[in-house]
Amino acid sequence: MDMTRGVPVQIHLETWVNQDGNNEHHEFNEPGQLVQMGDTLYVRYREQTDGDATVPVTFKIAGTDSVMLTRGTAETDTRLQLQFEAEKAVVARYTTPYGVIPVQTVTPRMDVVFTDDPLNGEVYIEYRLDANQQHLGDYRLHLNFTAAE
């Protein structure tokens, strides 16, 4: 299987958000693609938003304790790039139509599991977002990807 060219996968992503006492839960099931370059895995898909619009999403998985999430593109007005490092705080960039906002991720828990046969993987991350010394919220994400039949 040549994973440098990309393998079709089925994406199942769940996210939980707790901001100011409000809880939200989102679930996405999308077709995607898995690409391997060296020891790094890229999981890419397009997230359905309001109406017919889609937003490109990429998870860059470098080993079991480093994951980068990119939502949007450099060409769009809004691009969120979060870096998760197990048990570390990392400053990230949130590009908005009003400028770049530095945000910080603090990741107390990260689990990354990957198997070749059958090809599938799972990423679970618990993280906190802070900006300007303000606690923005607590988040969890659970990504599953499985080679499409």
Side-chain angles (χ1 to χ4, degrees):
M1 189 178 313
D2 184 4
M3 289 178 39
T4 57
R5 291 172 181 261
V7 176
V9 290
Q10 184 58 41
I11 305 286
H12 177 76
L13 175 67
E14 286 188 77
T15 61
W16 294 266
V17 179
N18 182 328
Q19 287 177 310
D20 297 328
N22 297 318
N23 289 305
E24 286 180 32
H25 174 243
H26 302 280
E27 213 166 316
F28 304 94
N29 288 291
E30 307 284 353
Q33 195 172 51
L34 175 67
V35 176
Q36 184 168 11
M37 298 173 96
D39 293 337
T40 304
L41 295 176
Y42 295 86
V43 178
R44 297 185 175 119
Y45 68 98
R46 296 193 74 85
E47 188 178 289
Q48 199 72 38
T49 58
D50 300 333
D52 295 331
T54 61
V55 175
V57 177
T58 301
F59 282 89
K60 178 184 174 187
I61 305 164
T64 56
D65 54 7
S66 178
V67 175
M68 181 183 281
L69 166 62
T70 305
R71 209 168 167 279
T73 63
E75 292 77 51
T76 59
D77 282 341
T78 306
R79 181 172 191 247
L80 178 60
Q81 197 165 48
L82 297 177
Q83 179 75 37
F84 306 108
E85 299 283 342
E87 299 176 15
K88 290 186 184 157
V90 183
V91 174
R93 298 163 61 82
Y94 186 20
T95 305
T96 73
Y98 312 104
V100 175
I101 302 168
V103 292
Q104 178 176 267
T105 58
V106 180
T107 309
R109 181 169 170 199
M110 178 184 303
D111 300 319
V112 177
V113 180
F114 178 72
T115 59
D116 273 339
D117 192 21
L119 177 64
N120 66 53
E122 187 176 351
V123 176
Y124 176 79
I125 299 174
E126 292 178 2
Y127 65 101
R128 192 177 91 209
L129 273 186
D130 299 328
N132 300 324
Q133 284 79 48
Q134 296 285 316
H135 177 76
L136 299 182
D138 295 297
Y139 304 81
R140 288 182 295 147
L141 69 81
H142 190 193
L143 169 71
N144 283 292
F145 53 92
T146 310
E149 296 299 319

